[in-house]
Amino acid sequence: MLERVVRLNADYARAIDDDRLEDWPSFFTEKCLYKITSADNHRSGLELGVIYADSNGMLRDRVAALREANVYERQTYRHLVGLPAIVGTEGEVTRAETPFLVVRIMHDGTMDLFATGRYLDALVDDGGVLRLRERLVVCDSSRFDTLLAIPL
Amino acid sequence: MLERVVRLNADYARAIDDDRLEDWPSFFTEKCLYKITSADNHRSGLELGVIYADSNGMLRDRVAALREANVYERQTYRHLVGLPAIVGTEGEVTRAETPFLVVRIMHDGTMDLFATGRYLDALVDDGGVLRLRERLVVCDSSRFDTLLAIPL
Amino acid sequence: MLERVVRLNADYARAIDDDRLEDWPSFFTEKCLYKITSADNHRSGLELGVIYADSNGMLRDRVAALREANVYERQTYRHLVGLPAIVGTEGEVTRAETPFLVVRIMHDGTMDLFATGRYLDALVDDGGVLRLRERLVVCDSSRFDTLLAIPL
């Protein structure tokens, strides 16, 4: 299972950083939960997320909106995804926690630390393919860039 | 063995970043060596370390002292641990070297590169659990933050 | 194969960061291609690279030149290499893509993000050892440090 989670994370990060955003929803099951929140909010049990989607259709809508808006055009991102920890299994669901770091590269070549945090995932085998039923993206910093529109 | 070292490192980093410091000593054997030093000092063969502990009790004391002092309260950390290299085996001891990077997240949301370096580890199977008999934390930079009180 | 690629990347990064540059060419086959370029140039199909070598001898010459020039003396580097994705197999050649991040540590202890990007690799089994027949280093930023003389 560890190796399958590693593969999923590598492919997921690569799809985003290669700007193949249209592939991004395919890492999730049809019924799913995707949320970006901060460590503070997560600790406080706040349900509120900066970004929230509870179906694959909402993920696809988000990609379409991003393409329309073109807001992220002037920068690119590089995800470094750490080693996943398998933290539990409940029936068909595997729970994993994985740290990540995202660097933003501006059009003029400047690089900065954009986000760090961890993925809290619920994974299922979806017809032979490992997919995310749930990905909670808990960012360490509460200071979100207003352009936080790309998937993390 | 590679997969076991990967798991150990993932769990180790997660315990620190989740602020479960009380779990940190359990990654070490009862008799152990934990030292934080700089690449310059390490190269010069200086035994001196910024932080030094040679028993599990000293590690537990350090955690207790950290909780007392609360010095690290206003920031959190994110460890990104790289791919380990198994560099040798001597009897029951496996030696591994693993690069790491730590980002510090200040209370106001600012992030900075806090430390980079490598773990020089001696690992043993301790009753079915892989544990650190020795972890030498060699930081690339010699400029140590005076608050370098958290475990690396 | 994934584990072999992981090992190769861990050893490769360690050789450079430990300043064992003389070991660096041994990760490549005798006839090989090594190129550092930017994402912009790579997208535009420009063949031009900041650094280009098409034989193991050229890699060895580069190391000798670096030792002669000593240009990188005052800084060290830390590679964090991400999870590789095996993207294809053509006959004996395995193709892999792997993200990386390099931190530079100046002599005064300052750290900065030096480079991020991805390795586009063609790997072959060379007499029992996995080696790079091709490593294209695609940096995310187009702003190259004039001192970009170390291997990435």
Side-chain angles (χ1 to χ4, degrees), chain B residues 29-41:
Chain B
T29 53
E30 199 48 44
K31 192 159 174 292
C32 63
L33 180 66
Y34 176 76
K35 199 164 81 168
I36 301 182
T37 188
S38 69
D40 279 353
N41 282 355

Side-chain angles (χ1 to χ4, degrees), chain C residues 49-124:
Chain C
V50 182
I51 288 177
Y52 181 95
D54 65 3
S55 74
N56 210 287
M58 281 183 71
L59 298 177
R60 291 192 298 269
D61 286 352
R62 170 160 294 276
V63 171
L66 282 170
R67 290 298 188 202
E68 188 85 19
N70 247 338
V71 289
Y72 61 97
E73 191 187 28
R74 294 186 166 278
Q75 54 260 353
T76 57
Y77 298 87
R78 178 61 54 198
H79 284 68
L80 265 284
V81 179
L83 308 167
I86 309 291
V87 294
T89 311
E90 303 154 17
E92 53 164 6
V93 178
T94 300
R95 297 214 165 257
E97 291 191 20
T98 310
F100 66 85
L101 175 159
V102 182
V103 174
R104 178 170 54 178
I105 302 98
M106 306 304 285
H107 198 65
D108 69 356
T110 323
M111 289 174 283
D112 60 9
L113 285 173
F114 183 66
T116 62
R118 56 204 164 111
Y119 295 131
L120 306 186
D121 295 335
L123 301 133
V124 291

Side-chain angles (χ1 to χ4, degrees), chain A residues 1-148:
Chain A
M1 179 50 78
L2 185 64
E3 188 169 327
R4 289 184 80 188
V5 180
V6 163
R7 278 180 210 276
L8 171 64
N9 277 313
D11 291 341
Y12 180 102
R14 211 158 57 85
I16 297 171
D17 295 343
D18 288 357
D19 194 29
R20 290 182 283 103
L21 294 186
E22 283 70 17
D23 292 351
W24 173 63
S26 71
F27 294 103
F28 293 84
T29 53
E30 198 48 44
K31 192 160 176 292
C32 61
L33 181 65
Y34 175 77
K35 199 163 81 168
I36 301 183
T37 189
S38 69
D40 278 354
N41 281 354
H42 182 64
R43 234 184 332 259
S44 314
L46 290 185
E47 282 302 313
L48 193 76
V50 182
I51 288 178
Y52 179 95
D54 66 3
S55 73
N56 210 287
M58 281 183 71
L59 298 177
R60 290 193 299 269
D61 285 352
R62 170 159 293 277
V63 172
L66 282 170
R67 290 299 188 202
E68 189 84 20
N70 246 337
V71 289
Y72 62 95
E73 190 188 29
R74 298 190 162 276
Q75 54 261 352
T76 57
Y77 298 87
R78 177 61 54 198
H79 284 68
L80 266 283
V81 180
L83 307 167
I86 309 291
V87 295
T89 311
E90 302 153 19
E92 53 164 6
V93 178
T94 301
R95 297 214 166 258
E97 291 191 20
T98 309
F100 67 85
L101 176 159
V102 181
V103 173
R104 177 170 54 178
I105 303 98
M106 306 302 285
H107 198 66
D108 69 357
T110 322
M111 289 174 282
D112 60 9
L113 286 173
F114 182 67
T116 63
R118 59 206 163 110
Y119 295 131
L120 307 185
D121 295 335
L123 301 133
V124 291
D125 187 299
D126 188 17
V129 180
L130 191 69
R131 290 209 169 87
L132 295 157
R133 177 172 288 179
E134 202 179 304
R135 167 153 284 188
L136 193 56
V137 184
V138 182
C139 293
D140 294 321
S141 173
S142 300
R143 192 202 281 195
F144 286 103
D145 196 291
T146 48
L147 285 177
L148 181 50

Side-chain angles (χ1 to χ4, degrees), chain B residues 7-144:
Chain B
R7 278 180 210 274
L8 171 64
N9 277 313
D11 291 341
Y12 180 102
R14 211 158 58 86
I16 298 171
D17 294 343
D18 288 357
D19 194 29
R20 290 182 283 104
L21 294 186
E22 283 70 17
D23 293 349
W24 172 64
S26 71
F27 295 101
F28 293 85
T29 53
E30 199 48 44
K31 192 159 174 292
C32 63
L33 180 66
Y34 176 76
K35 199 164 81 168
I36 301 182
T37 188
S38 69
D40 279 353
N41 282 355
H42 182 64
R43 235 186 329 261
S44 313
L46 290 184
E47 283 302 313
L48 193 76
V50 181
I51 288 177
Y52 181 95
D54 65 3
S55 73
N56 210 288
M58 281 183 70
L59 298 177
R60 291 193 297 268
D61 286 350
R62 170 160 293 277
V63 172
L66 281 170
R67 290 297 188 202
E68 188 84 21
N70 246 337
V71 289
Y72 61 95
E73 190 188 29
R74 296 188 164 277
Q75 54 261 351
T76 56
Y77 298 87
R78 177 60 54 198
H79 284 67
L80 265 284
V81 179
L83 308 167
I86 309 291
V87 295
T89 312
E90 302 154 18
E92 54 166 4
V93 178
T94 300
R95 297 214 164 256
E97 292 190 19
T98 308
F100 66 86
L101 175 159
V102 182
V103 174
R104 177 170 54 176
I105 302 97
M106 306 304 285
H107 198 65
D108 68 358
T110 323
M111 290 175 281
D112 60 8
L113 285 173
F114 182 66
T116 63
R118 57 206 163 108
Y119 295 130
L120 306 185
D121 296 335
L123 302 134
V124 291
D125 188 298
D126 188 18
V129 180
L130 191 69
R131 289 208 170 88
L132 294 158
R133 177 173 287 177
E134 202 180 303
R135 168 154 282 190
L136 192 58
V137 184
V138 183
C139 293
D140 294 321
S141 172
S142 300
R143 193 201 280 192
F144 285 103

